[in-house]
Amino acid sequence: VHLAAAKLAKGDAAGARQAYEAALKLDENYLPALRNLAASQREAGDLAGAKATIEKTLQRHAKDSLAWLELAK
């Protein structure tokens, strides 16, 4: 997840997305990867993908305030 965050910070949304997806293959419920995958999708212009990912995140982690904030973006 740290690698993905570094890629996103450098503007490499596609690289970040790949790294978050790899992390989710290890643990499909890992909250930071879910939340940040949605952010990287949004940054890449994939708004439908970002919305779907954040909705999946909220189904699994309904009380996560940062996921709700991401949905509002």
Short mmCIF file of all heavy atoms in Angstrom, two decimals:
data_model
loop_
_atom_site.label_atom_id
_atom_site.label_comp_id
_atom_site.label_asym_id
_atom_site.label_seq_id
_atom_site.Cartn_x
_atom_site.Cartn_y
_atom_site.Cartn_z
N VAL A 1 0.83 -1.19 0.00
CA VAL A 1 0.00 0.00 0.00
C VAL A 1 0.88 1.25 0.00
O VAL A 1 0.52 2.25 -0.61
CB VAL A 1 -0.97 -0.02 1.19
CG1 VAL A 1 -1.74 1.27 1.31
CG2 VAL A 1 -1.93 -1.17 1.07
N HIS A 2 2.04 1.20 0.64
CA HIS A 2 2.93 2.36 0.64
C HIS A 2 3.46 2.64 -0.76
O HIS A 2 3.59 3.80 -1.15
CB HIS A 2 4.09 2.15 1.62
CG HIS A 2 3.65 2.06 3.04
ND1 HIS A 2 3.13 3.13 3.72
CD2 HIS A 2 3.62 1.01 3.89
CE1 HIS A 2 2.80 2.76 4.95
NE2 HIS A 2 3.09 1.47 5.08
N LEU A 3 3.76 1.59 -1.51
CA LEU A 3 4.20 1.76 -2.88
C LEU A 3 3.11 2.44 -3.71
O LEU A 3 3.38 3.36 -4.48
CB LEU A 3 4.57 0.41 -3.50
CG LEU A 3 4.90 0.42 -4.99
CD1 LEU A 3 6.15 1.27 -5.25
CD2 LEU A 3 5.10 -0.99 -5.50
N ALA A 4 1.88 2.01 -3.52
CA ALA A 4 0.77 2.60 -4.25
C ALA A 4 0.60 4.07 -3.89
O ALA A 4 0.38 4.91 -4.78
CB ALA A 4 -0.51 1.83 -3.95
N ALA A 5 0.72 4.40 -2.62
CA ALA A 5 0.59 5.79 -2.20
C ALA A 5 1.69 6.65 -2.81
O ALA A 5 1.44 7.79 -3.23
CB ALA A 5 0.62 5.89 -0.67
N ALA A 6 2.89 6.12 -2.89
CA ALA A 6 3.99 6.86 -3.50
C ALA A 6 3.74 7.09 -4.99
O ALA A 6 3.99 8.18 -5.51
CB ALA A 6 5.31 6.11 -3.30
N LYS A 7 3.21 6.07 -5.65
CA LYS A 7 2.90 6.22 -7.07
C LYS A 7 1.80 7.27 -7.28
O LYS A 7 1.88 8.09 -8.19
CB LYS A 7 2.48 4.88 -7.67
CG LYS A 7 3.62 3.91 -7.82
CD LYS A 7 3.15 2.60 -8.42
CE LYS A 7 4.28 1.63 -8.58
NZ LYS A 7 5.01 1.78 -9.82
N LEU A 8 0.79 7.25 -6.44
CA LEU A 8 -0.30 8.21 -6.55
C LEU A 8 0.20 9.63 -6.30
O LEU A 8 -0.17 10.57 -7.00
CB LEU A 8 -1.43 7.86 -5.59
CG LEU A 8 -2.74 8.61 -5.78
CD1 LEU A 8 -3.30 8.41 -7.18
CD2 LEU A 8 -3.76 8.16 -4.74
N ALA A 9 1.10 9.78 -5.31
CA ALA A 9 1.65 11.09 -5.01
C ALA A 9 2.47 11.65 -6.17
O ALA A 9 2.53 12.87 -6.36
CB ALA A 9 2.52 11.02 -3.75
N LYS A 10 3.07 10.76 -6.97
CA LYS A 10 3.84 11.19 -8.14
C LYS A 10 2.97 11.38 -9.37
O LYS A 10 3.47 11.69 -10.44
CB LYS A 10 4.93 10.17 -8.45
CG LYS A 10 6.05 10.17 -7.45
CD LYS A 10 7.15 9.22 -7.89
CE LYS A 10 8.35 9.34 -6.98
NZ LYS A 10 9.46 8.53 -7.47
N GLY A 11 1.66 11.17 -9.21
CA GLY A 11 0.76 11.35 -10.33
C GLY A 11 0.58 10.10 -11.18
O GLY A 11 -0.03 10.16 -12.24
N ASP A 12 1.09 8.97 -10.72
CA ASP A 12 0.97 7.71 -11.46
C ASP A 12 -0.26 6.97 -10.96
O ASP A 12 -0.17 5.99 -10.22
CB ASP A 12 2.23 6.88 -11.28
CG ASP A 12 2.21 5.58 -12.07
OD1 ASP A 12 1.25 5.36 -12.85
OD2 ASP A 12 3.15 4.78 -11.90
N ALA A 13 -1.44 7.45 -11.36
CA ALA A 13 -2.69 6.85 -10.90
C ALA A 13 -2.83 5.41 -11.38
O ALA A 13 -3.31 4.55 -10.64
CB ALA A 13 -3.88 7.68 -11.35
N ALA A 14 -2.38 5.12 -12.59
CA ALA A 14 -2.47 3.76 -13.11
C ALA A 14 -1.59 2.80 -12.32
O ALA A 14 -2.00 1.69 -11.98
CB ALA A 14 -2.10 3.73 -14.58
N GLY A 15 -0.37 3.23 -12.00
CA GLY A 15 0.52 2.41 -11.19
C GLY A 15 -0.01 2.20 -9.79
O GLY A 15 0.10 1.10 -9.23
N ALA A 16 -0.59 3.25 -9.23
CA ALA A 16 -1.18 3.14 -7.89
C ALA A 16 -2.34 2.16 -7.92
O ALA A 16 -2.47 1.31 -7.02
CB ALA A 16 -1.65 4.51 -7.41
N ARG A 17 -3.15 2.25 -8.95
CA ARG A 17 -4.30 1.35 -9.06
C ARG A 17 -3.83 -0.10 -9.10
O ARG A 17 -4.38 -0.96 -8.42
CB ARG A 17 -5.09 1.70 -10.31
CG ARG A 17 -6.30 0.84 -10.53
CD ARG A 17 -7.05 1.28 -11.77
NE ARG A 17 -8.22 0.46 -11.94
CZ ARG A 17 -9.19 0.72 -12.78
NH1 ARG A 17 -9.13 1.80 -13.53
NH2 ARG A 17 -10.22 -0.07 -12.89
N GLN A 18 -2.80 -0.38 -9.87
CA GLN A 18 -2.28 -1.75 -9.96
C GLN A 18 -1.77 -2.24 -8.60
O GLN A 18 -1.99 -3.39 -8.22
CB GLN A 18 -1.17 -1.83 -11.00
CG GLN A 18 -1.66 -1.66 -12.41
CD GLN A 18 -0.52 -1.59 -13.42
OE1 GLN A 18 0.63 -1.34 -13.06
NE2 GLN A 18 -0.84 -1.81 -14.68
N ALA A 19 -1.10 -1.36 -7.88
CA ALA A 19 -0.56 -1.74 -6.57
C ALA A 19 -1.68 -1.98 -5.57
O ALA A 19 -1.62 -2.94 -4.77
CB ALA A 19 0.40 -0.67 -6.06
N TYR A 20 -2.72 -1.15 -5.59
CA TYR A 20 -3.85 -1.37 -4.69
C TYR A 20 -4.59 -2.66 -5.04
O TYR A 20 -4.99 -3.41 -4.15
CB TYR A 20 -4.82 -0.19 -4.71
CG TYR A 20 -4.28 1.05 -4.04
CD1 TYR A 20 -4.24 2.25 -4.70
CD2 TYR A 20 -3.80 1.00 -2.73
CE1 TYR A 20 -3.74 3.40 -4.09
CE2 TYR A 20 -3.29 2.14 -2.11
CZ TYR A 20 -3.27 3.33 -2.79
OH TYR A 20 -2.77 4.45 -2.18
N GLU A 21 -4.75 -2.93 -6.32
CA GLU A 21 -5.41 -4.17 -6.74
C GLU A 21 -4.60 -5.39 -6.30
O GLU A 21 -5.16 -6.41 -5.89
CB GLU A 21 -5.64 -4.17 -8.24
CG GLU A 21 -6.74 -3.19 -8.66
CD GLU A 21 -6.87 -3.01 -10.15
OE1 GLU A 21 -5.95 -3.40 -10.91
OE2 GLU A 21 -7.90 -2.45 -10.58
N ALA A 22 -3.27 -5.29 -6.36
CA ALA A 22 -2.41 -6.39 -5.89
C ALA A 22 -2.59 -6.61 -4.39
O ALA A 22 -2.66 -7.76 -3.93
CB ALA A 22 -0.95 -6.10 -6.23
N ALA A 23 -2.68 -5.53 -3.63
CA ALA A 23 -2.89 -5.65 -2.19
C ALA A 23 -4.23 -6.30 -1.89
O ALA A 23 -4.36 -7.12 -0.98
CB ALA A 23 -2.80 -4.28 -1.52
N LEU A 24 -5.25 -5.95 -2.68
CA LEU A 24 -6.58 -6.51 -2.46
C LEU A 24 -6.67 -7.98 -2.84
O LEU A 24 -7.55 -8.69 -2.35
CB LEU A 24 -7.63 -5.68 -3.20
CG LEU A 24 -7.86 -4.31 -2.58
CD1 LEU A 24 -8.67 -3.43 -3.51
CD2 LEU A 24 -8.53 -4.43 -1.22
N LYS A 25 -5.76 -8.46 -3.67
CA LYS A 25 -5.71 -9.89 -3.97
C LYS A 25 -5.27 -10.67 -2.73
O LYS A 25 -5.66 -11.82 -2.55
CB LYS A 25 -4.78 -10.18 -5.14
CG LYS A 25 -5.39 -9.77 -6.47
CD LYS A 25 -4.46 -10.09 -7.62
CE LYS A 25 -5.08 -9.60 -8.92
NZ LYS A 25 -4.21 -9.83 -10.06
N LEU A 26 -4.49 -10.03 -1.89
CA LEU A 26 -4.04 -10.66 -0.65
C LEU A 26 -5.11 -10.61 0.44
O LEU A 26 -5.24 -11.53 1.24
CB LEU A 26 -2.76 -9.99 -0.14
CG LEU A 26 -1.56 -10.09 -1.07
CD1 LEU A 26 -0.41 -9.24 -0.54
CD2 LEU A 26 -1.13 -11.53 -1.24
N ASP A 27 -5.86 -9.50 0.47
CA ASP A 27 -6.93 -9.33 1.46
C ASP A 27 -7.99 -8.42 0.86
O ASP A 27 -7.82 -7.20 0.83
CB ASP A 27 -6.37 -8.72 2.74
CG ASP A 27 -7.43 -8.52 3.83
OD1 ASP A 27 -8.63 -8.78 3.57
OD2 ASP A 27 -7.06 -8.09 4.93
N GLU A 28 -9.07 -9.01 0.38
CA GLU A 28 -10.09 -8.24 -0.34
C GLU A 28 -10.85 -7.25 0.54
O GLU A 28 -11.57 -6.41 0.03
CB GLU A 28 -11.08 -9.18 -1.02
CG GLU A 28 -11.91 -10.00 -0.07
CD GLU A 28 -12.83 -10.98 -0.77
OE1 GLU A 28 -12.62 -11.27 -1.95
OE2 GLU A 28 -13.76 -11.46 -0.11
N ASN A 29 -10.68 -7.33 1.84
CA ASN A 29 -11.35 -6.41 2.76
C ASN A 29 -10.43 -5.36 3.35
O ASN A 29 -10.82 -4.65 4.27
CB ASN A 29 -12.03 -7.20 3.89
CG ASN A 29 -13.18 -8.01 3.37
OD1 ASN A 29 -14.03 -7.51 2.64
ND2 ASN A 29 -13.21 -9.28 3.72
N TYR A 30 -9.20 -5.27 2.87
CA TYR A 30 -8.22 -4.34 3.45
C TYR A 30 -8.65 -2.90 3.18
O TYR A 30 -8.59 -2.42 2.04
CB TYR A 30 -6.83 -4.63 2.89
CG TYR A 30 -5.74 -3.83 3.53
CD1 TYR A 30 -5.61 -3.77 4.91
CD2 TYR A 30 -4.83 -3.12 2.76
CE1 TYR A 30 -4.60 -3.03 5.50
CE2 TYR A 30 -3.82 -2.38 3.35
CZ TYR A 30 -3.72 -2.34 4.72
OH TYR A 30 -2.73 -1.60 5.30
N LEU A 31 -9.12 -2.26 4.22
CA LEU A 31 -9.75 -0.94 4.11
C LEU A 31 -8.88 0.12 3.44
O LEU A 31 -9.34 0.80 2.52
CB LEU A 31 -10.23 -0.47 5.48
CG LEU A 31 -10.90 0.89 5.53
CD1 LEU A 31 -12.10 0.97 4.61
CD2 LEU A 31 -11.30 1.21 6.96
N PRO A 32 -7.63 0.31 3.82
CA PRO A 32 -6.83 1.34 3.16
C PRO A 32 -6.69 1.11 1.65
O PRO A 32 -6.75 2.06 0.87
CB PRO A 32 -5.47 1.27 3.86
CG PRO A 32 -5.78 0.72 5.22
CD PRO A 32 -6.89 -0.27 4.97
N ALA A 33 -6.54 -0.14 1.25
CA ALA A 33 -6.41 -0.42 -0.18
C ALA A 33 -7.72 -0.16 -0.92
O ALA A 33 -7.72 0.40 -2.01
CB ALA A 33 -5.94 -1.85 -0.41
N LEU A 34 -8.84 -0.54 -0.33
CA LEU A 34 -10.13 -0.28 -0.95
C LEU A 34 -10.37 1.22 -1.12
O LEU A 34 -10.72 1.70 -2.19
CB LEU A 34 -11.26 -0.88 -0.09
CG LEU A 34 -11.45 -2.38 -0.16
CD1 LEU A 34 -12.35 -2.86 0.97
CD2 LEU A 34 -12.06 -2.76 -1.51
N ARG A 35 -10.17 1.94 -0.04
CA ARG A 35 -10.43 3.38 -0.04
C ARG A 35 -9.51 4.09 -1.04
O ARG A 35 -9.96 4.94 -1.80
CB ARG A 35 -10.20 3.92 1.37
CG ARG A 35 -10.74 5.30 1.59
CD ARG A 35 -10.38 5.86 2.95
NE ARG A 35 -10.64 5.01 4.10
CZ ARG A 35 -9.72 4.70 5.01
NH1 ARG A 35 -8.47 5.11 4.89
NH2 ARG A 35 -10.04 3.96 6.04
N ASN A 36 -8.26 3.72 -1.04
CA ASN A 36 -7.30 4.39 -1.91
C ASN A 36 -7.39 3.93 -3.36
O ASN A 36 -7.04 4.69 -4.26
CB ASN A 36 -5.89 4.22 -1.35
CG ASN A 36 -5.72 5.02 -0.08
OD1 ASN A 36 -6.09 6.18 -0.02
ND2 ASN A 36 -5.18 4.40 0.95
N LEU A 37 -7.87 2.72 -3.59
CA LEU A 37 -8.13 2.29 -4.96
C LEU A 37 -9.18 3.21 -5.57
O LEU A 37 -9.03 3.68 -6.70
CB LEU A 37 -8.60 0.84 -5.01
CG LEU A 37 -9.06 0.34 -6.38
CD1 LEU A 37 -7.95 0.46 -7.41
CD2 LEU A 37 -9.56 -1.09 -6.28
N ALA A 38 -10.22 3.50 -4.82
CA ALA A 38 -11.25 4.42 -5.31
C ALA A 38 -10.67 5.80 -5.62
O ALA A 38 -10.99 6.40 -6.65
CB ALA A 38 -12.38 4.54 -4.29
N ALA A 39 -9.78 6.27 -4.76
CA ALA A 39 -9.15 7.58 -4.99
C ALA A 39 -8.30 7.56 -6.26
O ALA A 39 -8.33 8.51 -7.05
CB ALA A 39 -8.31 7.99 -3.78
N SER A 40 -7.57 6.47 -6.46
CA SER A 40 -6.72 6.40 -7.66
C SER A 40 -7.58 6.28 -8.92
O SER A 40 -7.23 6.85 -9.96
CB SER A 40 -5.73 5.25 -7.56
OG SER A 40 -6.36 3.99 -7.60
N GLN A 41 -8.69 5.59 -8.83
CA GLN A 41 -9.61 5.51 -9.97
C GLN A 41 -10.17 6.89 -10.29
O GLN A 41 -10.25 7.28 -11.46
CB GLN A 41 -10.75 4.53 -9.68
CG GLN A 41 -10.30 3.09 -9.64
CD GLN A 41 -11.35 2.17 -9.09
OE1 GLN A 41 -11.97 2.44 -8.06
NE2 GLN A 41 -11.57 1.05 -9.77
N ARG A 42 -10.54 7.62 -9.26
CA ARG A 42 -11.06 8.99 -9.45
C ARG A 42 -9.99 9.87 -10.10
O ARG A 42 -10.28 10.61 -11.04
CB ARG A 42 -11.51 9.58 -8.12
CG ARG A 42 -12.10 10.97 -8.23
CD ARG A 42 -12.61 11.50 -6.90
NE ARG A 42 -11.79 11.22 -5.74
CZ ARG A 42 -10.68 11.87 -5.40
NH1 ARG A 42 -10.23 12.87 -6.15
NH2 ARG A 42 -10.01 11.56 -4.32
N GLU A 43 -8.76 9.78 -9.61
CA GLU A 43 -7.66 10.58 -10.15
C GLU A 43 -7.41 10.27 -11.63
O GLU A 43 -7.03 11.15 -12.40
CB GLU A 43 -6.38 10.35 -9.35
CG GLU A 43 -6.40 10.94 -7.97
CD GLU A 43 -6.33 12.46 -7.97
OE1 GLU A 43 -5.64 13.03 -8.82
OE2 GLU A 43 -7.00 13.06 -7.12
N ALA A 44 -7.64 9.01 -12.01
CA ALA A 44 -7.43 8.59 -13.39
C ALA A 44 -8.63 8.92 -14.28
O ALA A 44 -8.60 8.68 -15.48
CB ALA A 44 -7.14 7.10 -13.44
N GLY A 45 -9.69 9.47 -13.68
CA GLY A 45 -10.87 9.84 -14.45
C GLY A 45 -11.90 8.74 -14.57
O GLY A 45 -12.89 8.89 -15.27
N ASP A 46 -11.68 7.62 -13.88
CA ASP A 46 -12.63 6.51 -13.89
C ASP A 46 -13.65 6.72 -12.77
O ASP A 46 -13.59 6.05 -11.73
CB ASP A 46 -11.89 5.18 -13.74
CG ASP A 46 -12.81 3.97 -13.73
OD1 ASP A 46 -14.01 4.12 -14.05
OD2 ASP A 46 -12.32 2.87 -13.42
N LEU A 47 -14.57 7.64 -12.99
CA LEU A 47 -15.52 7.99 -11.94
C LEU A 47 -16.49 6.85 -11.63
O LEU A 47 -16.83 6.63 -10.47
CB LEU A 47 -16.28 9.26 -12.32
CG LEU A 47 -15.40 10.49 -12.54
CD1 LEU A 47 -16.25 11.70 -12.89
CD2 LEU A 47 -14.53 10.77 -11.34
N ALA A 48 -16.91 6.11 -12.65
CA ALA A 48 -17.82 4.99 -12.41
C ALA A 48 -17.11 3.90 -11.61
O ALA A 48 -17.70 3.32 -10.68
CB ALA A 48 -18.32 4.43 -13.74
N GLY A 49 -15.85 3.63 -11.94
CA GLY A 49 -15.08 2.64 -11.20
C GLY A 49 -14.86 3.07 -9.76
O GLY A 49 -14.96 2.26 -8.83
N ALA A 50 -14.56 4.34 -9.58
CA ALA A 50 -14.33 4.87 -8.23
C ALA A 50 -15.59 4.75 -7.39
O ALA A 50 -15.54 4.34 -6.22
CB ALA A 50 -13.88 6.33 -8.30
N LYS A 51 -16.73 5.09 -7.99
CA LYS A 51 -17.99 5.00 -7.25
C LYS A 51 -18.29 3.55 -6.88
O LYS A 51 -18.70 3.27 -5.75
CB LYS A 51 -19.14 5.59 -8.06
CG LYS A 51 -20.45 5.58 -7.32
CD LYS A 51 -21.57 6.20 -8.12
CE LYS A 51 -22.85 6.16 -7.31
NZ LYS A 51 -24.02 6.47 -8.10
N ALA A 52 -18.09 2.63 -7.82
CA ALA A 52 -18.34 1.22 -7.53
C ALA A 52 -17.43 0.70 -6.43
O ALA A 52 -17.87 -0.03 -5.53
CB ALA A 52 -18.15 0.39 -8.80
N THR A 53 -16.17 1.09 -6.47
CA THR A 53 -15.22 0.65 -5.44
C THR A 53 -15.58 1.21 -4.08
O THR A 53 -15.54 0.50 -3.08
CB THR A 53 -13.78 1.04 -5.82
OG1 THR A 53 -13.45 0.39 -7.05
CG2 THR A 53 -12.78 0.63 -4.75
N ILE A 54 -15.94 2.48 -4.01
CA ILE A 54 -16.24 3.07 -2.72
C ILE A 54 -17.56 2.52 -2.17
O ILE A 54 -17.71 2.34 -0.96
CB ILE A 54 -16.21 4.62 -2.77
CG1 ILE A 54 -15.84 5.18 -1.38
CG2 ILE A 54 -17.49 5.22 -3.25
CD1 ILE A 54 -14.47 4.85 -0.91
N GLU A 55 -18.50 2.21 -3.05
CA GLU A 55 -19.74 1.59 -2.58
C GLU A 55 -19.47 0.19 -2.02
O GLU A 55 -20.04 -0.19 -1.00
CB GLU A 55 -20.77 1.54 -3.71
CG GLU A 55 -21.36 2.91 -4.01
CD GLU A 55 -22.28 2.94 -5.21
OE1 GLU A 55 -22.31 1.96 -5.99
OE2 GLU A 55 -22.97 3.97 -5.38
N LYS A 56 -18.57 -0.56 -2.67
CA LYS A 56 -18.16 -1.87 -2.15
C LYS A 56 -17.46 -1.69 -0.79
O LYS A 56 -17.69 -2.47 0.13
CB LYS A 56 -17.22 -2.56 -3.14
CG LYS A 56 -16.73 -3.90 -2.69
CD LYS A 56 -15.87 -4.69 -3.66
CE LYS A 56 -15.25 -3.94 -4.77
NZ LYS A 56 -14.33 -4.76 -5.58
N THR A 57 -16.64 -0.67 -0.69
CA THR A 57 -15.96 -0.38 0.57
C THR A 57 -16.97 -0.12 1.69
O THR A 57 -16.84 -0.65 2.79
CB THR A 57 -15.03 0.85 0.41
OG1 THR A 57 -14.12 0.59 -0.65
CG2 THR A 57 -14.28 1.15 1.69
N LEU A 58 -17.98 0.68 1.39
CA LEU A 58 -18.98 1.01 2.40
C LEU A 58 -19.87 -0.17 2.76
O LEU A 58 -20.35 -0.24 3.89
CB LEU A 58 -19.82 2.21 1.93
CG LEU A 58 -19.03 3.52 1.93
CD1 LEU A 58 -19.79 4.61 1.19
CD2 LEU A 58 -18.72 3.95 3.36
N GLN A 59 -20.06 -1.10 1.84
CA GLN A 59 -20.80 -2.32 2.19
C GLN A 59 -20.03 -3.13 3.23
O GLN A 59 -20.62 -3.75 4.10
CB GLN A 59 -21.03 -3.18 0.95
CG GLN A 59 -22.05 -2.61 0.00
CD GLN A 59 -22.14 -3.42 -1.29
OE1 GLN A 59 -21.35 -4.32 -1.55
NE2 GLN A 59 -23.11 -3.07 -2.12
N ARG A 60 -18.71 -3.11 3.13
CA ARG A 60 -17.87 -3.89 4.03
C ARG A 60 -17.48 -3.13 5.29
O ARG A 60 -17.20 -3.73 6.31
CB ARG A 60 -16.61 -4.34 3.29
CG ARG A 60 -16.93 -5.24 2.13
CD ARG A 60 -15.70 -5.55 1.32
NE ARG A 60 -16.06 -6.35 0.16
CZ ARG A 60 -15.21 -6.75 -0.75
NH1 ARG A 60 -13.93 -6.44 -0.64
NH2 ARG A 60 -15.61 -7.46 -1.77
N HIS A 61 -17.42 -1.80 5.17
CA HIS A 61 -16.95 -0.96 6.28
C HIS A 61 -17.86 0.26 6.39
O HIS A 61 -17.44 1.39 6.14
CB HIS A 61 -15.51 -0.51 6.02
CG HIS A 61 -14.55 -1.63 5.79
ND1 HIS A 61 -14.00 -2.35 6.81
CD2 HIS A 61 -14.06 -2.17 4.63
CE1 HIS A 61 -13.19 -3.28 6.30
NE2 HIS A 61 -13.22 -3.18 4.99
N ALA A 62 -19.11 0.03 6.77
CA ALA A 62 -20.14 1.08 6.73
C ALA A 62 -19.85 2.27 7.63
O ALA A 62 -20.33 3.37 7.38
CB ALA A 62 -21.50 0.49 7.09
N LYS A 63 -19.05 2.10 8.65
CA LYS A 63 -18.78 3.19 9.59
C LYS A 63 -17.52 3.98 9.26
O LYS A 63 -17.15 4.88 10.01
CB LYS A 63 -18.69 2.64 11.01
CG LYS A 63 -19.99 2.06 11.49
CD LYS A 63 -19.89 1.57 12.91
CE LYS A 63 -21.23 1.00 13.35
NZ LYS A 63 -21.19 0.55 14.74
N ASP A 64 -16.89 3.69 8.14
CA ASP A 64 -15.64 4.37 7.79
C ASP A 64 -15.93 5.78 7.25
O ASP A 64 -16.42 5.93 6.12
CB ASP A 64 -14.84 3.57 6.78
CG ASP A 64 -13.52 4.22 6.49
OD1 ASP A 64 -12.70 4.36 7.42
OD2 ASP A 64 -13.31 4.63 5.34
N SER A 65 -15.60 6.78 8.03
CA SER A 65 -15.91 8.16 7.64
C SER A 65 -15.10 8.61 6.42
O SER A 65 -15.59 9.38 5.59
CB SER A 65 -15.68 9.12 8.81
OG SER A 65 -14.33 9.05 9.25
N LEU A 66 -13.88 8.12 6.27
CA LEU A 66 -13.07 8.52 5.12
C LEU A 66 -13.64 7.95 3.82
O LEU A 66 -13.56 8.60 2.77
CB LEU A 66 -11.62 8.09 5.31
CG LEU A 66 -10.87 8.80 6.42
CD1 LEU A 66 -9.47 8.22 6.58
CD2 LEU A 66 -10.82 10.29 6.19
N ALA A 67 -14.23 6.78 3.89
CA ALA A 67 -14.88 6.21 2.69
C ALA A 67 -16.09 7.05 2.32
O ALA A 67 -16.34 7.30 1.15
CB ALA A 67 -15.28 4.75 2.96
N TRP A 68 -16.84 7.50 3.32
CA TRP A 68 -17.99 8.37 3.03
C TRP A 68 -17.53 9.67 2.40
O TRP A 68 -18.17 10.20 1.47
CB TRP A 68 -18.80 8.64 4.30
CG TRP A 68 -19.65 7.47 4.70
CD1 TRP A 68 -19.42 6.58 5.71
CD2 TRP A 68 -20.85 7.04 4.06
NE1 TRP A 68 -20.40 5.62 5.73
CE2 TRP A 68 -21.30 5.89 4.75
CE3 TRP A 68 -21.60 7.51 2.97
CZ2 TRP A 68 -22.47 5.21 4.37
CZ3 TRP A 68 -22.77 6.84 2.61
CH2 TRP A 68 -23.18 5.70 3.31
N LEU A 69 -16.42 10.21 2.88
CA LEU A 69 -15.87 11.44 2.27
C LEU A 69 -15.44 11.21 0.83
O LEU A 69 -15.66 12.06 -0.03
CB LEU A 69 -14.70 11.96 3.10
CG LEU A 69 -15.04 12.59 4.43
CD1 LEU A 69 -13.77 12.89 5.22
CD2 LEU A 69 -15.85 13.86 4.23
N GLU A 70 -14.85 10.07 0.56
CA GLU A 70 -14.43 9.74 -0.81
C GLU A 70 -15.66 9.64 -1.72
O GLU A 70 -15.62 10.09 -2.86
CB GLU A 70 -13.63 8.44 -0.84
CG GLU A 70 -13.09 8.06 -2.19
CD GLU A 70 -12.12 9.06 -2.79
OE1 GLU A 70 -11.34 9.69 -2.05
OE2 GLU A 70 -12.15 9.23 -4.02
N LEU A 71 -16.73 9.09 -1.21
CA LEU A 71 -17.96 9.00 -2.01
C LEU A 71 -18.48 10.39 -2.36
O LEU A 71 -18.98 10.62 -3.46
CB LEU A 71 -19.02 8.21 -1.26
CG LEU A 71 -20.34 8.00 -1.98
CD1 LEU A 71 -20.15 7.18 -3.24
CD2 LEU A 71 -21.36 7.32 -1.06
N ALA A 72 -18.31 11.33 -1.46
CA ALA A 72 -18.80 12.69 -1.69
C ALA A 72 -17.99 13.44 -2.75
O ALA A 72 -18.49 14.40 -3.34
CB ALA A 72 -18.77 13.48 -0.39
N LYS A 73 -16.77 12.98 -3.03
CA LYS A 73 -15.93 13.66 -4.01
C LYS A 73 -16.44 13.34 -5.38
O LYS A 73 -16.32 13.87 -6.34
CB LYS A 73 -14.47 13.24 -3.87
CG LYS A 73 -13.87 13.72 -2.57
CD LYS A 73 -12.45 13.26 -2.45
CE LYS A 73 -11.85 13.68 -1.14
NZ LYS A 73 -10.49 13.22 -0.97
#
